[in-house]
PDB file of all heavy atoms in Angstrom:
ATOM      1  N   LEU A 101      25.215  19.035  17.218  1.00  0.00           N
ATOM      2  CA  LEU A 101      24.744  19.927  18.288  1.00  0.00           C
ATOM      3  C   LEU A 101      25.888  20.829  18.685  1.00  0.00           C
ATOM      4  O   LEU A 101      26.934  20.352  19.033  1.00  0.00           O
ATOM      5  CB  LEU A 101      24.282  19.101  19.495  1.00  0.00           C
ATOM      6  CG  LEU A 101      23.561  19.801  20.626  1.00  0.00           C
ATOM      7  CD1 LEU A 101      22.211  20.327  20.197  1.00  0.00           C
ATOM      8  CD2 LEU A 101      23.462  18.892  21.836  1.00  0.00           C
ATOM      9  N   ALA A 102      25.689  22.165  18.591  1.00  0.00           N
ATOM     10  CA  ALA A 102      26.722  23.087  18.881  1.00  0.00           C
ATOM     11  C   ALA A 102      26.189  24.435  19.258  1.00  0.00           C
ATOM     12  O   ALA A 102      25.109  24.800  18.818  1.00  0.00           O
ATOM     13  CB  ALA A 102      27.719  23.256  17.686  1.00  0.00           C
ATOM     14  N   LEU A 103      26.951  25.162  20.072  1.00  0.00           N
ATOM     15  CA  LEU A 103      26.614  26.555  20.429  1.00  0.00           C
ATOM     16  C   LEU A 103      27.310  27.501  19.429  1.00  0.00           C
ATOM     17  O   LEU A 103      28.496  27.625  19.395  1.00  0.00           O
ATOM     18  CB  LEU A 103      27.061  26.830  21.868  1.00  0.00           C
ATOM     19  CG  LEU A 103      26.470  28.045  22.552  1.00  0.00           C
ATOM     20  CD1 LEU A 103      24.919  27.978  22.646  1.00  0.00           C
ATOM     21  CD2 LEU A 103      27.065  28.260  23.957  1.00  0.00           C
ATOM     22  N   ASP A 104      26.485  28.073  18.521  1.00  0.00           N
ATOM     23  CA  ASP A 104      27.019  28.826  17.418  1.00  0.00           C
ATOM     24  C   ASP A 104      26.678  30.342  17.607  1.00  0.00           C
ATOM     25  O   ASP A 104      25.623  30.703  18.190  1.00  0.00           O
ATOM     26  CB  ASP A 104      26.378  28.421  16.106  1.00  0.00           C
ATOM     27  CG  ASP A 104      26.910  27.095  15.626  1.00  0.00           C
ATOM     28  OD1 ASP A 104      28.004  26.723  15.995  1.00  0.00           O
ATOM     29  OD2 ASP A 104      26.171  26.458  14.818  1.00  0.00           O
ATOM     30  N   PRO A 105      27.541  31.201  17.008  1.00  0.00           N
ATOM     31  CA  PRO A 105      27.103  32.598  16.897  1.00  0.00           C
ATOM     32  C   PRO A 105      25.864  32.734  16.003  1.00  0.00           C
ATOM     33  O   PRO A 105      25.706  32.003  15.025  1.00  0.00           O
ATOM     34  CB  PRO A 105      28.352  33.236  16.172  1.00  0.00           C
ATOM     35  CG  PRO A 105      29.456  32.326  16.358  1.00  0.00           C
ATOM     36  CD  PRO A 105      28.851  30.958  16.431  1.00  0.00           C
ATOM     37  N   ILE A 106      24.980  33.616  16.376  1.00  0.00           N
ATOM     38  CA  ILE A 106      23.739  33.755  15.598  1.00  0.00           C
ATOM     39  C   ILE A 106      24.020  34.171  14.155  1.00  0.00           C
ATOM     40  O   ILE A 106      23.290  33.776  13.227  1.00  0.00           O
ATOM     41  CB  ILE A 106      22.788  34.800  16.340  1.00  0.00           C
ATOM     42  CG1 ILE A 106      21.340  34.760  15.700  1.00  0.00           C
ATOM     43  CG2 ILE A 106      23.316  36.226  16.196  1.00  0.00           C
ATOM     44  CD1 ILE A 106      20.559  33.555  16.191  1.00  0.00           C
ATOM     45  N   GLU A 107      25.132  34.884  13.966  1.00  0.00           N
ATOM     46  CA  GLU A 107      25.477  35.338  12.642  1.00  0.00           C
ATOM     47  C   GLU A 107      25.815  34.170  11.662  1.00  0.00           C
ATOM     48  O   GLU A 107      25.813  34.307  10.421  1.00  0.00           O
ATOM     49  CB  GLU A 107      26.721  36.266  12.687  1.00  0.00           C
ATOM     50  CG  GLU A 107      26.345  37.673  13.286  1.00  0.00           C
ATOM     51  CD  GLU A 107      26.310  37.678  14.760  1.00  0.00           C
ATOM     52  OE1 GLU A 107      26.640  36.656  15.388  1.00  0.00           O
ATOM     53  OE2 GLU A 107      25.928  38.751  15.331  1.00  0.00           O
ATOM     54  N   LYS A 108      26.110  32.978  12.248  1.00  0.00           N
ATOM     55  CA  LYS A 108      26.449  31.842  11.401  1.00  0.00           C
ATOM     56  C   LYS A 108      25.267  31.232  10.703  1.00  0.00           C
ATOM     57  O   LYS A 108      25.403  30.450   9.783  1.00  0.00           O
ATOM     58  CB  LYS A 108      27.163  30.793  12.321  1.00  0.00           C
ATOM     59  CG  LYS A 108      27.787  29.616  11.554  1.00  0.00           C
ATOM     60  CD  LYS A 108      28.466  28.664  12.483  1.00  0.00           C
ATOM     61  CE  LYS A 108      29.033  27.436  11.744  1.00  0.00           C
ATOM     62  NZ  LYS A 108      29.655  26.511  12.714  1.00  0.00           N
ATOM     63  N   LYS A 109      24.027  31.639  11.092  1.00  0.00           N
ATOM     64  CA  LYS A 109      22.860  30.960  10.565  1.00  0.00           C
ATOM     65  C   LYS A 109      22.541  31.188   9.115  1.00  0.00           C
ATOM     66  O   LYS A 109      22.040  30.236   8.447  1.00  0.00           O
ATOM     67  CB  LYS A 109      21.655  31.316  11.430  1.00  0.00           C
ATOM     68  CG  LYS A 109      21.758  30.880  12.896  1.00  0.00           C
ATOM     69  CD  LYS A 109      22.049  29.429  13.100  1.00  0.00           C
ATOM     70  CE  LYS A 109      23.444  29.142  13.429  1.00  0.00           C
ATOM     71  NZ  LYS A 109      23.841  27.716  13.436  1.00  0.00           N
TER      72      LYS A 109
END
Side-chain angles (χ1 to χ4, degrees):
L101 187 69
L103 195 61
D104 286 338
I106 194 76
E107 288 81 5
K108 189 177 176 181
K109 299 306 102 190

